[in-house]
Every structure is written in C-alpha cells, then in structure tokens.
Amino acid sequence: MSKKQPGYICNSCGDTFFRWAGKCPTCGEWNQVVEIPISSGGRFDESVPNKLKKTEKKYSNPIPIDQIKGESFARLSTGFTELDLVLGGGIVPGSLILIGGEPGVGKSTLVLEISRHIGKSGKVLYISGEESAAQIGIRSKRMGIHEDSILLSSEIYAENISQMIADIRPSVVFIDSIQTILKESLVNQAGTVTQLRESSQIFLETAKRTSVPIFLIGHITKEGQIAGPKVLEHLVDTVLYFEGDKLNYYRMVRAIKNRFGSVGDSAIFEMSTKGLTQVTDRHGLFLSNDSVERSGSVISSVLEGSRALGVEVQALVTKSSFGQARRMAEGLDTRRVILLSAVIEKFLSYPLGEQDIFSNLAGGLQIDEPALDLAIVASIVSSFLNLNFTNKLAFLGSGTDIPSFRKFGRCRGFGIGRWIQTSPASH
C-alpha cells in the first residue's frame, strides 16, 4: 500500500495545496484550509479529482447555434403561487435547486408542503439523511399529510440515490440535506468540500439525464452563507434562501440565482403548528396594526424583485449614559445607520454625538436597500425631536425621479422636520 502523506484543501474555493496556510492564497478566506490525504508519490488521493487526468475523448460533434431547436416543457407547480413566481413560473423539469436556511427555520416543513401538492398527481421521493422515516412520519401526521405517493428513504450514498431516481422516475426529488450525502468511492467524511462537490455533480447529471427536478437542502454558516464551496452554488440552476426569525411567524423565500427566471422576487409564508401557509396580501404585513402615531416611526417601501413591499422603519434616540454613543441596527446595515447619523449631524446641525441611536426594521425583515436612507434619516430626526409623522406620509429615497421631502424654510438636501412635498431634489 502506498503511504499517505498530508495534503490540504480550501473549504471555500476547493483549491488544493501541499502545505497549510492560515489564509487561502486563491480566495483569500481565513481558516478554511484543512488537511486531506495524498499518496506517497506526491499526487492527491482519489478523494480529490485530478483535473489533468487524461481520458479517452468521446464527444458529439458541435452544431451551429441557429440549428438548435428550443425544447418546450411544462413547469411543475409547487402548490404555492408565490413560490412559483420566485421560481420563474414553477419547477423546470431536470433542474437542480438548492435551498439554504438556518437550522429550525422550516426547510423540511417547506419541502413537505410542496410534496403534499405534487403527491396528489405524481410520485415524490424524499431522501432524508438527517432524520429517520419515523421522525418524518410524525411531522407529516401533524401537518395532515397522508399521501401514499410520497416515498421516504434514508439512503446516504449518491450513487444509490441516482439509481433509485432512474428506477422510480418520480415527479420531484428532495434531498435533506446535501451535507449528509456521501460518494461511496471517496474516503472523505460527509460535508467536506470534495463530498459536496462530487455528490452534487452526480445529482446534476442525474437530473439532466432523467428530466427529474431535484431539490437539495443545504446548511448555512454563521456568516449566513450556504456551507460548502461556492462551486456548489455555481453547479445548481436555482439558489433559494429561506429566511426568517425563529421567534417570528413569518418566513421569506428569496431567489438569489435562477437560470429560468428573474432573481430578487420573494415569497412570504406564515408558520403554524400545521405547516406553512403562503401570504398573498403583503402590503400591510410588516406595518404596525394600530393607528397611533409615534415619534421615530415612519413608513417606506422597498422593491422586492418585481413587487413593492411596505415597511416600517423605527428609531430610538436617547441621551447616552456612557462616554461613547452607541449605534445599533436590527434588520438594517449598521454601517449605513452610522453614516446617515453623521450626515444628519454635519448638514442639519443636530447634536447626535452624545445620543444613542437604535434603528429597527419592523417585522423581523433583513433588508439592505439604499431606498430606505431617507426613511432612516426621518425616523432618527423624528425620535430626536419627538415629532410624530402622520401614517399617511411615506418616505421614498430612491433617487431624483421620485418627489422628495424637504424641510420647510431651509433645505439641506434631506426631508427633515416639518414636511411639504416639493419638486425632486438631489439627496
């Protein structure tokens, strides 16, 4: 047997090295280079694909692009009109879709809800490497799912799952999660860069060959990114992020990448003990229900894909009890709040240097949108001056094409204080 010597691979980009480094020379990420075995001859083990390996050339002749005929296909509905919109009109046959989200946010519940609808007209194959069939059965009974066409399996080897898909030919396949799947010929543990890359490549080939759409459930890191190399997101056709506060009822699905539709659209769901229900009326969802006008609370709107979403920006400005004033934001970019508070102090001469500023986006939303700048500024000044704004007034700061608001009497480029609607102004 050949003696094994240490080699190293980056968990972020997948590049390989012969010595360890704290910072990956390729992608620049820190603490991502881990040890893998290589053979004594100096070549990496079979667990790392050899890109330079010579293979017999077997390929079909290339054809001119104008002679390629487009294939017509019918998209498969998920049972949720909002989610179908995010996917670009439904599930495309043969597509590979990646869903990422925090633990406990409801990824397994979402795929069971989709299985409920698709299982009424076709077969659904649910591969679970994290839970047993009995555990999934308990959840399905609580959700009222009793379709016999939903098939459960605890298989974890990618080659066996591929053969299972080819034999059963289900309407859709769910793999929960990709971090638990192994390629049998590799020696690496489940969840490593090589296993994720090679297993996903098998499922991609299987989806294209059988025209069966496959959903991959993925974990995310503490930074909020899907665990594994970025090549995983490049391989799949669609990347969905399932977001939401576990202490809140609402969940949001966003499309980060979609080869068969637009990106940026979102679907909102409400979590209950019986599962997920889609929210079709989005306009007042993240606004306060009461009609009481409070200082520091203003209304704005952001563009989520092709549709607008009403939001409420809240701010609390109070005298600092410590030497250095604090700036904290929830749902907003803290650095943007710090910048805007400095702009207010510089151009509007409001003494915020000794004031603690707490900014929040109501409803547990996480949005980094420059169009909210004017609303953030208005909420901060409203709280500082203890000035209430009417609920019929909205603040939109998305450029000079939208009428802005400015201070009555003197304008510094921002609409602060007593407001009148004026012609567009640069801000």
Side-chain angles (χ1 to χ4, degrees):
M1 293 181 61
S2 61
K3 182 180 179 181
K4 300 293 182 179
Q5 296 179 351
Y8 300 91
I9 188 169
C10 177
N11 280 332
S12 180
C13 64
D15 202 359
T16 54
F17 312 96
F18 285 95
R19 63 178 61 185
W20 182 86
K23 182 180 179 180
C24 176
T26 303
C27 63
E29 294 291 333
W30 286 90
N31 301 323
Q32 295 296 321
V33 180
V34 295
E35 182 179 342
I36 57 173
I38 61 173
S39 62
S40 58
R43 299 181 61 183
F44 283 98
D45 195 11
E46 295 179 354
S47 58
V48 180
N50 184 7
K51 299 181 180 179
L52 301 179
K53 185 178 179 181
K54 296 182 179 180
T55 57
E56 183 181 355
K57 294 182 179 179
K58 295 181 180 180
Y59 54 84
S60 58
N61 294 327
I63 59 177
I65 191 171
D66 59 348
Q67 297 182 11
I68 300 177
K69 298 181 179 179
E71 298 181 1
S72 60
F73 52 82
R75 293 178 182 255
L76 186 64
S77 175
T78 62
F80 298 108
T81 55
E82 294 288 308
L83 186 56
D84 289 342
L85 178 64
V86 173
L87 291 172
I91 305 172
V92 175
S95 60
L96 188 62
I97 302 171
L98 177 63
I99 302 179
E102 294 183 355
V105 73
K107 301 184 295 295
S108 301
T109 304
L110 176 64
V111 298
L112 277 178
E113 290 286 0
I114 301 175
S115 301
R116 183 209 303 266
H117 174 76
I118 300 179
K120 296 178 181 178
S121 57
K123 291 183 179 180
V124 176
L125 181 58
Y126 191 114
I127 307 294
S128 177
E130 297 181 347
E131 298 178 289
S132 64
Q135 291 174 316
I136 300 176
I138 294 174
R139 183 187 297 114
S140 63
K141 290 180 180 179
R142 186 181 72 247
M143 297 172 58
I145 301 176
H146 306 288
E147 280 74 16
D148 295 335
S149 56
I150 302 178
L151 308 177
L152 302 179
S153 174
S154 299
E155 181 61 55
I156 61 172
Y157 290 107
E159 297 91 338
N160 297 342
I161 296 174
S162 176
Q163 186 61 43
M164 190 186 308
I165 296 172
D167 294 340
I168 300 177
R169 290 298 177 102
S171 300
V172 65
V173 177
F174 298 102
I175 299 177
D176 187 11
S177 67
I178 186 61
Q179 276 82 11
T180 63
I181 302 301
L182 295 165
K183 184 177 180 181
E184 195 170 6
S185 59
L186 303 181
V187 297
N188 304 69
Q189 294 181 350
T192 58
V193 173
T194 307
Q195 287 287 3
L196 287 173
R197 180 175 53 200
E198 295 299 306
S199 299
S200 300
Q201 188 67 46
I202 292 177
F203 296 136
L204 177 64
E205 186 274 333
T206 303
K208 305 306 178 184
R209 174 169 48 87
T210 61
S211 296
V212 175
I214 300 177
F215 282 77
L216 305 178
I217 310 299
H219 300 161
I220 66 172
T221 63
K222 60 182 180 180
E223 290 82 13
Q225 303 295 326
I226 296 181
K230 276 295 181 181
V231 69
L232 182 60
E233 297 186 35
H234 291 302
L235 276 175
V236 301
D237 299 310
T238 305
V239 180
L240 303 178
Y241 273 79
F242 198 28
E243 306 170 352
D245 187 357
K246 290 183 289 185
L247 302 178
N248 202 336
Y249 295 112
Y250 297 110
R251 306 287 190 270
M252 182 176 292
V253 179
R254 301 175 187 265
I256 307 301
K257 171 189 175 182
N258 191 0
R259 289 174 177 164
F260 309 109
S262 61
V263 297
D265 281 308
S266 61
I268 302 176
F269 296 89
E270 183 177 2
M271 177 69 76
S272 64
T273 56
K274 294 185 178 180
L276 289 168
T277 55
Q278 67 177 349
V279 178
T280 56
D281 186 10
R282 307 153 48 100
H283 299 296
L285 189 62
F286 298 102
L287 303 178
S288 298
N289 296 326
D290 54 22
S291 58
V292 179
E293 298 175 359
R294 294 182 294 267
S295 63
S297 178
V298 301
I299 305 300
S300 184
S301 179
V302 294
L303 195 63
E304 285 287 323
S306 59
R307 297 176 296 176
L309 180 65
V311 296
E312 180 177 349
V313 181
Q314 302 169 342
L316 176 63
V317 180
T318 181
K319 181 71 174 180
S320 177
S321 302
F322 304 95
Q324 184 176 3
R326 291 179 294 174
R327 304 288 188 264
M328 298 179 62
E330 192 71 29
L332 300 167
D333 188 357
T334 305
R335 295 171 297 178
R336 186 174 293 274
V337 174
I338 295 174
L339 173 62
L340 294 176
S341 61
V343 171
I344 296 172
E345 187 170 8
K346 174 68 175 180
F347 292 98
L348 297 176
S349 302
Y350 289 130
L352 299 179
E354 298 180 354
Q355 305 289 328
D356 290 336
I357 299 177
F358 305 94
S359 188
N360 176 53
L361 201 59
L365 286 174
Q366 297 283 338
I367 296 178
D368 185 12
E369 173 60 63
L372 288 177
D373 286 358
L374 186 60
I376 296 173
V377 170
S379 64
I380 292 175
V381 176
S382 171
S383 178
F384 177 74
L385 299 177
N386 198 23
L387 177 67
N388 300 340
F389 290 121
T390 175
N391 292 334
K392 298 181 180 180
L393 184 63
F395 297 86
L396 303 176
S398 55
T400 58
D401 294 335
I402 296 180
S404 61
F405 298 88
R406 69 180 186 180
K407 189 177 182 180
F408 179 74
R410 185 180 66 171
C411 176
R412 292 290 188 179
F414 292 88
I416 310 297
R418 298 175 58 189
W419 303 84
I420 58 173
Q421 187 169 355
T422 66
S423 59
S426 176
H427 55 270

